Amino acid sequence: MKMNYDLVIVGGGPAGLAAAIAAYDEGIRDILILERENKLGGILNQCIHNGFGLTRFKESLSGPEYAARFVDGVLARNIQVMTETTVLSLTKDKKVTAINTQNGVFVLQAKAVVLAMGCRERSRGALNVAGSRPAGIYSAGTAQKYVNIKGYMPGKSVVILGSGDIGLIMARRMTLEGAKVHAVCEIMPYSSGLKRNIAQCLDDFDIPLYLNHTITKIEGEKRVTGVVISKVDENKKPIPGTEVHFDCDTVLFSVGLIPENELTKGAGLELSPRTRGAVVYQSRETEVEGIFACGNVLQVHDLVDFVSEEAELAGRYAANYILYGKTERDEVRVSNGKNVSYVVPQIIDKNIQGNVKLFFRVTNTFRDCTIIAKCGEQVLLQKKKKIVVPGEMESMLLTEAKLAEANGEIQIELEEKI
Amino acid sequence: MSVRSLTCIECPIGCSIEVTVENGEPVSVTGNACPRGKLYAENEVICPRRVLTSTVRAENGELIPVKTDKPIKKDETFDLMKKINRVVCKLPVKIGDIIVENITEDINLIATGNAEGV
């Protein structure tokens, strides 16, 4: 068995696939993709709805169709893939320990590693919802896998907690397959899902969205028999007297995604408490040379199109690292200021040529506001926005010329309308 | 004359669109950022349509993701779901293969995933 590779990519979802193709096209041939499922494509395989690829391909594709474009690209380049292989650990000197049924446990030595493990769903446990622990409680993504891959319905009468996109998509999907979806509850005053998904997944089927509401009780012994939802106040505390009961046999949780960074932590890499992903340069290289991170393991994206774009960046720079080795750095830190919850990348290396696109999210909904990139008191760039919402990632392009002006930490902040 | 407020579903921006309706006909559209939004709003008034995505069973029990190759009339959605759930498709299947020809009007149901059938 071959034990040494130029580039090992952990994860064969949209990020891993795009990174592999980009590294290959930059001249690297000795690439291995490790994927724990039995086929490439990652979560896209169960996202059978359309709407993927509008930015990248200018057409509306289903998840499997979007994935296939990249899988075909990997196959056409003869990039090596190991499926049903789980990576167990990673070290800073780029030893990758993995396991599968053919080879048992094995250790690969890579010159560079791209982390592309994606993210996973927050669970009921993370929210501490009161009540019994009957069957019939699923994360929305698990329900999606049951319906779209395994072909069976997790229930007939459903209440969904959380209005993230997966929850909205599953409200429609379960309805199409004959279930009754009574309600989608969202604790925030706004949905974190895309507006078009509210329209085409809820409004189209007359499914009510309860904003400022949460589930305060789950009932049932063996199987869910009902839930109680309550209105919450501005501190997100349930308001007594506002309880509404729904009979149902199923509860879906769509309450956020968390980058899956056990390997990253295990390797001793620094994680940002804000993104829960690695701290990276604009090349998506982490603070450990030769280890790169991209896609939802780095920051949870709204659209796969942007995952692909970020992964190509990581793949290209990983190739550069393999070809040319470590380079001298000239670092500028980037941080989030007022009304901004995080910025990626967290560090800019001024020795890397080219413009830098900064990605960030805002803390709240703001109208007619200004987003400002500052270095001390000096304004590098500002951009007026009609509306920004936390559910949609924002970006800002800092040109090389602007970057040259920055001689200290850069801060991204949002100024409200005065 | 009445004004209908809509959210455009053509792309992730989700423009808030207002369409003025007179005698059941759209007369003006505002709030759209692109021509697709105008078309969407007009169609919502005349005859709302959606691309329907679902799955069909293959002969070996595997699920194949499918979609209609054009938007179907929204009010035919559940009738078509019944038809789709009765389909058993032969393998192998490639993306773009027609699973049901003219499932409604001149619209085909096509595969959006590949399956070898082994």
Side-chain angles (χ1 to χ4, degrees), chain A residues 174-194:
Chain A
M174 299 279 287
T175 305
L176 285 175
E177 292 293 353
K180 169 77 185 162
V181 178
H182 302 282
V184 175
C185 299
E186 171 60 58
I187 196 165
M188 303 301 283
Y190 51 83
S191 163
S192 58
L194 294 170

Side-chain angles (χ1 to χ4, degrees), chain A residues 95-321:
Chain A
K95 285 188 170 56
V96 180
T97 305
I99 185 169
N100 64 27
T101 51
Q102 270 198 338
N103 307 298
V105 176
F106 53 95
V107 182
L108 304 172
Q109 176 66 59
K111 287 185 188 159
V113 174
V114 173
L115 302 174
M117 294 88 79
C119 59
R120 64 163 166 255
E121 298 176 278
R122 283 176 78 206
S123 62
R124 177 192 181 184
L127 294 177
N128 291 321
V129 176
S132 51
R133 306 186 74 79
I137 304 171
Y138 305 89
S139 69
T142 303
Q144 188 178 47
K145 185 167 188 173
Y146 284 158
V147 179
N148 294 345
I149 305 283
K150 305 284 180 198
Y152 57 83
M153 284 286 279
K156 293 181 181 135
S157 172
V158 188
V159 171
I160 300 177
L161 179 64
S163 63
D165 285 313
I166 314 168
L168 301 176
I169 294 289
M170 281 315 290
R172 173 176 64 181
R173 186 74 187 117
M174 299 279 287
T175 305
L176 285 175
E177 292 293 353
K180 169 77 185 162
V181 178
H182 302 282
V184 175
C185 299
E186 171 60 58
I187 196 165
M188 303 301 283
Y190 51 83
S191 163
S192 58
L194 294 170
K195 278 175 280 188
R196 69 163 172 177
N197 283 338
I198 305 277
Q200 65 183 349
C201 298
L202 300 188
D203 299 349
D204 269 7
F205 300 95
D206 298 317
I207 300 167
L209 171 62
Y210 292 86
L211 296 173
N212 298 304
H213 275 74
T214 191
I215 293 179
T216 41
K217 195 176 177 200
I218 297 177
E219 299 164 349
E221 284 302 316
K222 288 187 171 155
R223 177 82 196 191
V224 174
T225 55
V227 297
V228 174
I229 72 167
S230 303
K231 200 169 184 209
V232 298
D233 63 20
E234 58 275 17
N235 301 315
K236 302 194 189 72
K237 294 269 178 260
I239 303 169
T242 62
E243 296 86 357
V244 180
H245 180 272
F246 289 98
D247 284 335
C248 64
D249 58 27
T250 303
V251 180
L252 301 189
F253 281 74
S254 173
V255 289
L257 300 167
I258 305 169
E260 194 160 331
N261 269 308
E262 279 64 28
L263 290 175
T264 322
K265 270 189 268 182
L269 270 70
E270 187 192 342
L271 292 191
S272 154
R274 298 190 165 271
T275 57
R276 302 174 86 160
V279 171
V280 291
Y281 294 90
Q282 73 264 44
S283 56
R284 299 306 186 267
E285 188 169 10
T286 66
E287 292 188 286
V288 176
E289 60 163 282
I291 299 183
F292 297 76
C294 56
N296 284 353
V297 79
L298 180 64
Q299 55 174 335
V300 176
H301 293 69
D302 311 320
L303 299 176
V304 69
D305 306 60
F306 299 133
V307 167
S308 305
E309 189 185 324
E310 177 166 78
E312 284 165 343
L313 211 57
R316 259 201 319 275
Y317 282 106
N320 277 346
Y321 174 80

Side-chain angles (χ1 to χ4, degrees), chain B:
Chain B
M1 203 169 81
S2 66
V3 176
R4 251 182 85 184
S5 299
L6 301 167
T7 302
C8 181
I9 63 167
E10 293 293 321
C11 89
I13 296 170
C15 289
S16 299
I17 299 182
E18 293 205 324
V19 48
T20 307
V21 185
E22 217 175 281
N23 305 323
E25 294 287 323
V27 287
S28 73
V29 178
T30 57
N32 55 306
C34 78
R36 282 188 307 173
K38 182 168 186 281
L39 201 62
Y40 171 76
E42 288 169 351
N43 284 335
E44 280 299 280
V45 173
I46 304 161
C47 172
R49 283 176 175 269
R50 301 284 183 268
V51 168
L52 180 61
T53 64
S54 189
T55 55
V56 296
R57 283 272 174 205
E59 50 195 355
N60 67 352
E62 201 179 332
L63 290 188
I64 311 298
V66 293
K67 70 177 178 188
T68 56
D69 63 357
K70 287 193 264 303
I72 56 144
K73 285 181 190 151
K74 199 167 100 177
D75 54 21
E76 283 187 354
T77 299
F78 286 97
D79 291 337
L80 286 175
M81 280 303 295
K82 275 186 202 143
K83 274 193 197 173
I84 288 169
N85 281 338
R86 281 200 296 267
V87 170
V88 176
C89 88
K90 292 220 181 310
L91 292 172
V93 160
K94 276 205 187 62
I95 289 176
D97 284 359
I98 295 178
I99 305 293
V100 181
E101 210 176 342
N102 302 335
I103 193 160
T104 177
E105 301 169 281
D106 62 341
I107 300 167
N108 301 317
L109 189 70
I110 60 170
T112 72
N114 298 316
E116 298 293 332
V118 278

